């Protein structure tokens, strides 16, 4: 038989890539129940019938996929042997000898429905069906040499795969000896230089101090240094000037805004659900603030991991940990799925994919429908991971995303007491008002025709009230009803009591989660064997012990077990994956370039020993990130110039060996924040609900309802840092998207940098760029008295460096030409020059 492809995607029940494992929907019976004692004996007539009638039918229609080649059997279902038929496919027996007519095999060849059709190329002739039906009814007679055995599935885990470097414990390697010991200021440099010397390469000269301070500011805060800060650093000749600069930047409140944005990429942060309505995720901004504060506080990374995975299971009042579990609610959510069960498991797949890639650099999600094609991850490992998350209820059971499944009251206990009494009174009053209104409505409904009375008893009652009852009310009854209605609406609009603090999180989890099954071909409609929570088989760890939930606990405790394993020093993935991300954000490329995939489908590590040394150092330092930053940034490798060397380029054109620093373009957030900075309009207010920067009407016109879900903020609020801009999946700030802000539908390990015409067009013609150019010009007029001084100030603000006299002279001539040739006044000519400065490569690129 050949694979079936259904025309309707949601009808896939494990047949998309092969057979649906003919036992998928069969009763869970052991084949051994039919094979007790001696092998069955068949008559000569039965064996002859098989050889002359049954076998030709199987050869014509079935054995190509299910028995001709044992190495290529699909769905693990072997029709070539009797035991193979009884064993069935991935989920159990295909034939029930006690009730042959009810066997799934018989249903399949009869084309019972769209999910039961074999062979897929077309239904067999009735004569052939009758032959196979008789064969099943007679007990599957075969010759002795075809009694056979069930298909033994080859394990994807081999002794060789267990030796793969990513599955080995982190061990601190010895620091290599190098020839140029003076250049190797840190162990990092020794690892880098050892690779260079082995290839006969030498690092380039150090970066100039003006370039170095700009690099450090953007790397740690995402903002440019002021000209005064550049001058102070360049002129500071003390031996510890650079170290003091790094300490200052690490202590800046803007450090968390920059590095928090990196993490938000990894965890697919967005504030709406996606799909057609793209409704809001209430209070998602609290998760963003939690991340920023965690980085600013230098929270140990292992604690950061535990809070996001199981913060709701930490005893006591811990609002930050509860907010951290918003991690689970950030993904896309379909509020009107065609297949609700499929949607539920798509949600679990999002959690497995994001957690596996973000924390472990492992693509467990590739094993949803089958064993991983490259890594030693069997399909059971995927569902073991799913089982850890099964206590989490779906995002919502309806479109009410403010339901208890999502929002948690994190108000301090003493404040909560103050409003709970008011809330009870309000709820009681609303109930009383509803009862009074219903009494008035019911009295009038009695006078309506029978058809309307019946309609009022069901879902159409609101329509009857709105179209028949309210318009007919008169006099005092109308006054009373109107007053009650107005009072009720006013009370219901007070969605939160004064002082109440709510967070998007996991809540009301299942203390006894549903059973997790392996899903045949990933279809929730084809459950297979039961699976318990467990760790990757390739690591050879014992099965985890899940303790009984504590009294009063609102979850199963499974996620704490998972979090404790992930955040453990013995875990081979966690430190390596995070350290690699940190290195990537400093150098532009990770030691393992595929930051979310340390497996065989990822890219090869360029400096594996360095990665392990840094990982060991990171864990020994109590998982603290700021000390890791300082270690990396004080290395000679980080302080290299971006200038190319001809010989090095020939030997290592991609700079994989780090003989120079990689020039990089600013991110979308850095571009926007830098423009606001140089124009003097950046609002450095931190935290709180997101802002809605102005979006051009041409962009809003692309919405079905232009402007829906985007209440444009006042200019001062709109000009806050870009990390605080609302992230709506279907509508995002053009300048951010234009400069490669990632799609938040899935984890983004690396922002790929594009160079496309729309970037220049946006910065030259865009409304935002032109408005900021005007503000920039006003600032220059205020800061400097004449054109040469204004030009010098503009170059200092946008590049950090001191311009040459010839450069100033040329730029002043450009401004004068705008006035002479194009008849622009002083301010408009200066504005055009400011726009030119914002479009300069030197402004949007870092050396």
């Amino acid at each position: 038989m050949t694979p079936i492809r259904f025309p309707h995607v949601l009808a896939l029940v494990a047949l998309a890539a092969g057979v649906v494992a003919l036992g998928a929907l069969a009763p869970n019976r052991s084949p051994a129940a039919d094979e007790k004692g001696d092998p069955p004996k068949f008559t000569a007539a039965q064996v002859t019938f098989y050889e002359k009638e049954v076998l030709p039918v199987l050869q014509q229609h079935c054995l190509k996929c299910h028995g001709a080649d044992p190495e290529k059997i699909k769905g693990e279902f072997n029709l070539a042997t009797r035991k193979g038929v009884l064993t069935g496919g991935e989920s159990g027996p295909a034939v029930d000898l006690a009730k042959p007519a009810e066997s799934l095999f018989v249903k399949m060849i009869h084309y019972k429905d769209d999910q039961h059709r074999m062979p897929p190329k077309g239904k067999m002739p009735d004569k052939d069906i009758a032959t196979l039906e008789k064969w099943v009814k007679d007990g599957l007679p075969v010759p002795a040499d075809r009694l056979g055995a069930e298909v033994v599935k080859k394990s994807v885990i081999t002794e060789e795969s267990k030796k793969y470097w990513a599955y080995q414990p982190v061990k601190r390697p010895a620091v290599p000896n190098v020839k140029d010991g003076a250049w190797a200021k840190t162990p990092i440099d020794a690892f880098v230089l050892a690779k260079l010397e082995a290839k006969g390469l030498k690092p380039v000269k150090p970066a100039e101090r003006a370039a170095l301070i700009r690099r450090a500011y953007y790397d740690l805060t995402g903002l440019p240094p002021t000209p005064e800060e550049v001058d102070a650093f360049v002129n500071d000749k003390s031996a510890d000037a650079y170290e003091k600069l790094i300490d200052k930047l690490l202590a800046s409140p803007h450090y968390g805004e920059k590095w928090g944005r990196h993490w938000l990429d990894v965890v697919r942060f967005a504030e709406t659900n996606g799909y057609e309505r793209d409704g809001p995720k209430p209070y998602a901004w609290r998760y963003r603030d939690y991340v920023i504060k965690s980085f600013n506080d230098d929270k140990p990374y292992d604690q950061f991991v535990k809070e996001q995975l199981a913060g709701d299971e930490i005893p006591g009042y811990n609002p930050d940990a509860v907010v951290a579990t918003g991690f689970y609610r950030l993904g896309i959510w379909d509020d009107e799925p065609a297949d609700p069960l499929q949607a539920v498991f798509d949600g679990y797949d999002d959690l497995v994919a994001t957690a596996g890639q973000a924390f472990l650099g492992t693509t467990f999600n590739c094993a949803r429908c089958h064993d991983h094609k490259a890594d030693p991850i069997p399909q059971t490992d995927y569902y073991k991971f799913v089982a850890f998350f099964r206590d989490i209820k779906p995002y919502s059971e309806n479109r009410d995303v403010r339901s208890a499944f999502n929002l948690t009251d994190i108000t301090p206990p003493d404040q909560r007491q103050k409003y709970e009494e008011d809330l009870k009174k309000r709820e009681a009053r609303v109930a009383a008002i509803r009862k009074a209104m219903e009494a008035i409505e019911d009295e009038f409904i009695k006078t309506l025709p029978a058809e309307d009375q019946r309609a009022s008893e069901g879902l159409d009652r609101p329509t009857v009230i709105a179209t028949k009852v309210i318009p007919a009310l008169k006099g005092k009854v109308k006054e009373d009803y109107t007053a009650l209605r107005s009072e009720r609406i006013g009370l219901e609009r007070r969605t939160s009591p004064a002082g109440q603090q709510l967070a998007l999180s996991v809540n009301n989890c299942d203390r006894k989660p549903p059973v997790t099954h392996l899903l045949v071909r990933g279809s929730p409609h084809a459950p297979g064997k039961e699976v318990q929570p467990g760790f990757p088989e390739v690591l050879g760890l014992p099965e985890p012990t899940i303790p009984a939930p504590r009294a009063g606990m609102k979850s199963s405790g499974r996620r704490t077990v998972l979090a404790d394993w992930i955040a453990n020093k013995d875990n081979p993935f966690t430190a390596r994956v995070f350290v690699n991300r940190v290195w990537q954000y400093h150098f532009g490329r990770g030691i393992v370039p595929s930051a979310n995939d340390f497996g065989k489908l990822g890219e090869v590590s360029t400096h594996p020993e360095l990665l392990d040394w840094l990982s060991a150092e990171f864990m020994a330092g109590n998982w603290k990130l700021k000390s890791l930053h300082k270690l990396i940034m004080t290395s000679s490798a980080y302080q290299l110039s971006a200038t190319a060397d001809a010989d090095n380029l020939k030997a290592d054109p991609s700079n994989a060996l780090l003989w120079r620093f990689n020039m990089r373009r600013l991110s979308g957030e850095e571009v926007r924040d830098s423009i606001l900075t140089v124009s003097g309009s950046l609002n450095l207010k931190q935290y709180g609900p997101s802002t809605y920067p102005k979006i051009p009407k041409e962009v809003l016109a692309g919405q079905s309802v232009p402007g829906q879900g985007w209440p444009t903020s006042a200019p001062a609020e709109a000009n806050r840092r870009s990390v605080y801009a609302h992230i709506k999946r279907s509508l995002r700030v053009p300048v951010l998207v234009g400069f490669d802000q990632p799609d938040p539908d899935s984890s983004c390990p690396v922002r790929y940098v594009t160079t496309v015409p729309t970037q220049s067009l946006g910065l030259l013609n865009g409304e935002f760029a032109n408005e900021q150019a005007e503000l920039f010009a006003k600032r220059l007029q205020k800061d400097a008295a004449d054109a040469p001084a204004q030009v010098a100030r503009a170059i200092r603000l946008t590049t950090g460096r001191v311009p040459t006299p010839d450069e100033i002279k040329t730029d002043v001539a450009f401004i004068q030409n705008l006035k002479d040739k194009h008849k622009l006044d002083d301010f408009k000519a200066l504005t055009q020059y400011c726009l030119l400065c914002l479009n300069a490569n030197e402004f949007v690129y870092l050396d």
Side-chain angles (χ1 to χ4, degrees):
M1 299 185 184
T2 53
I4 289 180
R5 293 186 183 274
F6 286 106
H8 192 288
V9 173
L10 294 173
L12 279 174
V13 186
L15 296 168
V19 71
V20 69
L22 286 173
L25 303 179
N28 290 324
R29 302 180 57 212
S30 169
D34 300 310
E35 290 292 290
K36 293 177 181 178
D38 296 330
K41 296 179 180 180
F42 302 109
T43 66
Q46 287 177 319
V47 172
T48 299
F49 174 75
Y50 173 82
E51 292 176 333
K52 291 187 176 182
E53 302 293 337
V54 176
L55 185 56
V57 173
L58 294 177
Q59 288 173 332
Q60 181 180 354
H61 299 290
C62 309
L63 294 184
K64 179 181 178 181
C65 297
H66 302 291
D69 184 348
E71 295 293 321
K72 297 181 180 179
I73 286 177
K74 295 185 177 179
E76 299 174 32
F77 180 55
N78 185 3
L79 269 166
T81 68
R82 184 174 188 273
K83 192 163 186 179
V85 178
L86 290 172
T87 302
E90 293 171 329
S91 298
V95 168
D96 184 346
L97 295 179
K99 298 178 181 179
E102 297 180 13
S103 298
L104 186 59
F105 178 76
V106 174
K107 294 177 182 179
M108 298 291 282
I109 62 177
H110 272 287
Y111 273 45
K112 181 177 176 288
D113 53 45
D114 284 346
Q115 297 181 11
H116 299 82
R117 293 190 175 195
M118 280 289 167
K121 63 183 179 181
K123 190 176 180 181
M124 290 184 282
D126 291 344
K127 178 177 177 294
D128 292 346
I129 291 175
T131 296
L132 295 181
E133 210 167 12
K134 180 180 183 327
W135 180 50
V136 171
K137 185 177 180 181
D138 288 348
L140 301 174
V142 296
D145 64 347
R146 284 189 177 266
L147 290 174
E150 67 271 20
V151 175
V152 179
K153 184 178 179 181
K154 287 187 175 181
S155 174
V156 297
I157 300 174
T158 64
E159 289 303 315
E160 186 63 28
S161 68
K162 293 178 183 178
K163 299 175 183 177
Y164 186 64
W165 70 269
Y167 308 134
Q168 306 309 308
V170 173
K171 294 182 180 179
R172 185 190 295 267
V175 177
N177 294 318
V178 293
K179 298 175 184 177
D180 188 359
W183 185 85
K185 297 178 181 177
T186 69
I188 291 174
D189 298 323
F191 284 104
V192 171
L193 189 58
K195 291 274 188 179
L196 290 173
E197 290 180 345
K199 294 289 185 180
L201 304 179
K202 292 183 179 180
V204 298
K205 64 181 181 180
E208 294 181 358
R209 290 177 73 83
L212 186 60
I213 184 177
R214 194 164 183 258
R215 181 187 302 172
Y217 261 80
Y218 274 111
D219 271 12
L220 291 181
T221 71
L223 296 171
T226 65
E228 293 74 23
E229 288 168 329
V230 173
D231 291 343
F233 176 67
V234 169
N235 295 324
D236 187 347
K237 304 304 180 183
S238 60
D240 63 346
Y242 180 57
E243 188 174 338
K244 288 188 298 184
L245 173 67
I246 294 174
D247 289 339
K248 170 189 169 184
L249 296 177
L250 289 172
S252 167
H254 306 306
Y255 159 77
E257 294 170 332
K258 164 68 176 184
W259 280 81
R261 181 60 256 183
H262 288 318
W263 186 254
L264 296 178
D265 280 4
V266 174
V267 296
R268 85 290 187 223
F269 176 77
E271 299 179 78
T272 60
N273 297 315
Y275 292 98
E276 180 183 358
R277 272 175 284 274
D278 198 21
K281 292 182 180 292
Y283 303 102
W285 56 267
R286 289 196 193 278
Y287 176 84
R288 176 249 293 150
D289 284 0
Y290 158 81
V291 170
I292 293 172
K293 290 175 183 176
S294 294
F295 279 97
N296 274 338
D297 294 343
D298 202 14
K299 180 177 291 182
Y301 181 66
D302 58 343
Q303 180 184 344
F304 186 60
V305 170
K306 291 179 181 180
E307 288 177 347
Q308 291 177 80
L309 291 173
D312 58 311
E313 296 181 344
I314 296 175
Y317 174 69
N318 193 334
D320 278 355
V322 172
V323 170
T325 64
F327 163 82
Y328 291 109
R329 301 305 192 191
L330 301 177
I332 58 174
W333 174 64
D334 188 353
D335 62 7
E336 196 174 21
D339 185 336
L341 186 60
Q342 181 73 41
V344 167
F345 281 90
D346 285 348
Y348 286 125
D349 185 66
D350 170 61
L351 300 183
V352 170
T354 305
Q357 294 173 30
F359 300 115
L360 303 172
T362 303
T363 54
F364 288 105
N365 49 302
C366 291
R368 181 182 185 182
C369 305
H370 47 68
D371 293 344
H372 201 292
K373 295 300 184 183
D375 298 333
I377 303 173
Q379 193 181 8
T380 49
D381 273 5
Y382 173 89
Y383 288 98
K384 286 179 183 179
F385 215 164
V386 170
F388 279 115
F389 301 130
R390 284 289 272 147
D391 70 338
I392 299 175
K393 292 184 179 180
Y395 187 73
S396 179
E397 289 185 328
N398 50 50
R399 294 180 193 166
D400 179 15
V401 295
R402 301 177 68 90
S403 70
F405 286 1
N406 299 292
L407 299 185
T408 306
D409 192 328
I410 58 170
T411 312
D414 57 334
Q415 295 182 32
R416 193 178 307 175
Q417 293 175 359
K418 297 177 182 179
Y419 67 69
E420 280 183 345
E421 187 61 33
D422 175 67
L423 182 61
K424 290 179 181 178
K425 290 179 180 179
R426 176 151 56 98
E427 290 173 345
R429 178 56 186 159
V430 169
I433 292 172
R434 287 184 179 277
K435 186 175 181 180
M437 291 175 65
E438 288 174 359
I440 295 173
E441 295 163 359
D442 289 343
E443 283 299 315
F444 189 83
I445 286 173
K446 293 176 183 178
T447 67
L448 296 177
E451 180 182 354
D452 291 330
Q453 291 188 40
R454 286 193 298 273
S456 71
E457 295 171 359
L459 296 176
D460 292 332
R461 181 182 176 94
T463 302
V464 174
I465 300 301
T467 60
K468 301 292 178 69
V469 177
I470 294 178
L473 295 178
K474 299 185 183 301
K476 188 173 185 307
V477 175
K478 180 178 180 180
E479 292 176 4
D480 291 345
Y481 186 87
T482 302
L484 288 168
R485 185 168 178 267
S486 297
E487 184 182 359
R488 189 200 77 194
I489 291 172
L491 290 170
E492 289 178 339
R493 281 179 177 171
R494 289 169 56 192
T495 54
S496 299
Q500 186 181 33
Q501 299 173 30
L502 297 175
L504 183 71
S505 64
V506 293
N507 197 356
N508 287 354
C509 298
D510 285 318
R511 283 171 58 87
K512 296 183 178 180
V515 172
T516 302
H517 293 275
L518 182 147
L519 303 181
V520 180
R521 301 297 185 206
S523 170
H525 301 287
K529 65 182 181 181
E530 183 177 336
V531 176
Q532 298 295 329
F535 307 132
E537 185 180 345
V538 70
L539 299 180
L541 300 172
E543 294 300 321
T545 300
I546 310 293
R550 301 184 308 274
M553 194 169 171
K554 294 183 178 180
S555 60
S556 68
R558 290 182 178 185
R559 287 176 286 109
T560 294
V561 174
L562 175 65
D564 287 344
W565 170 68
I566 290 179
N568 193 293
K569 289 183 178 181
D570 293 332
N571 189 304
F573 304 110
T574 310
R576 282 182 176 127
V577 169
F578 188 66
V579 165
N580 186 67
R581 294 191 195 282
V582 176
W583 185 272
Q584 170 193 295
Y585 295 132
H586 278 303
F587 283 90
R589 179 175 57 200
I591 296 172
V592 178
S594 51
N596 268 11
D597 188 358
F598 277 33
K600 294 289 185 67
L601 294 178
E603 297 182 60
V604 178
S605 173
T606 57
H607 298 75
E609 297 83 5
L610 173 58
L611 180 58
D612 270 19
W613 188 90
L614 285 169
S615 299
E617 186 76 7
F618 179 53
M619 290 188 286
N622 195 30
W623 302 81
K624 291 279 191 171
L625 178 56
K626 289 187 178 181
S627 57
L628 180 62
H629 284 304
K630 191 170 182 178
L631 176 63
I632 290 173
M633 295 179 70
T634 53
S635 69
S636 296
Y638 179 83
Q639 298 176 59
L640 288 174
S641 168
T643 304
D645 176 88
D647 293 334
N648 287 353
L649 275 174
K650 291 178 182 178
D652 181 24
S654 65
N655 191 32
L657 299 181
L658 301 173
W659 49 268
R660 67 165 171 163
F661 192 83
N662 289 314
M663 176 188 289
R664 77 168 177 90
R665 201 206 62 208
L666 301 183
S667 68
E669 290 85 353
E670 289 170 330
V671 169
R672 179 177 178 271
D673 293 352
S674 297
I675 291 174
L676 291 171
T677 298
V678 300
S679 73
S681 56
L682 180 65
N683 179 356
L684 291 175
K685 174 184 173 183
Q686 291 190 290
Y687 308 123
S690 296
T691 64
Y692 296 82
K694 182 180 179 183
I695 291 181
K697 62 180 183 300
E698 294 84 1
V699 177
L700 295 176
Q703 293 183 279
S704 56
V705 180
Q708 186 178 55
W710 200 270
T712 303
S713 302
E717 274 293 300
N719 289 344
R720 292 175 64 195
R721 290 199 67 176
S722 300
V723 71
Y724 299 112
H726 182 73
I727 298 182
K728 184 177 177 66
R729 283 189 156 94
S730 61
L731 180 69
R732 290 186 287 142
V733 179
V735 68
L736 301 182
V737 178
F739 283 92
D740 306 311
Q741 185 187 59
D743 185 325
D745 286 356
S746 58
S747 175
C748 174
V750 182
R751 288 197 184 188
Y752 295 105
V753 178
T754 64
T755 302
V756 294
T758 50
Q759 293 164 350
S760 294
L761 291 172
L763 283 188
L764 282 171
N765 304 317
E767 188 174 357
F768 170 74
N770 279 271
E771 287 177 350
Q772 294 304 313
E774 285 192 12
L775 293 172
F776 190 10
K778 290 178 180 178
R779 176 182 182 177
L780 294 179
Q781 287 184 329
K782 182 179 179 181
D783 288 357
D786 56 24
Q790 290 166 356
V791 164
R793 182 65 172 165
I795 294 173
R796 292 295 322 265
L797 287 169
T798 53
T799 69
R801 64 176 176 81
V802 177
T804 65
D806 286 345
E807 192 175 5
I808 294 174
K809 182 178 179 181
T810 300
D811 288 5
V812 169
F814 170 78
I815 295 173
Q816 188 62 44
N817 184 57
L818 290 174
K819 293 191 288 186
D820 295 341
K821 185 175 180 179
H822 300 282
K823 309 304 179 186
L824 300 184
D825 60 32
D826 288 348
F827 178 72
K828 289 183 178 179
L830 183 59
T831 297
Q832 291 301 304
Y833 175 69
C834 289
L835 189 63
L836 174 68
C837 290
L838 298 182
N839 277 269
N841 278 344
E842 202 173 356
F843 176 61
V844 295
Y845 278 86
L846 282 178
D847 284 330

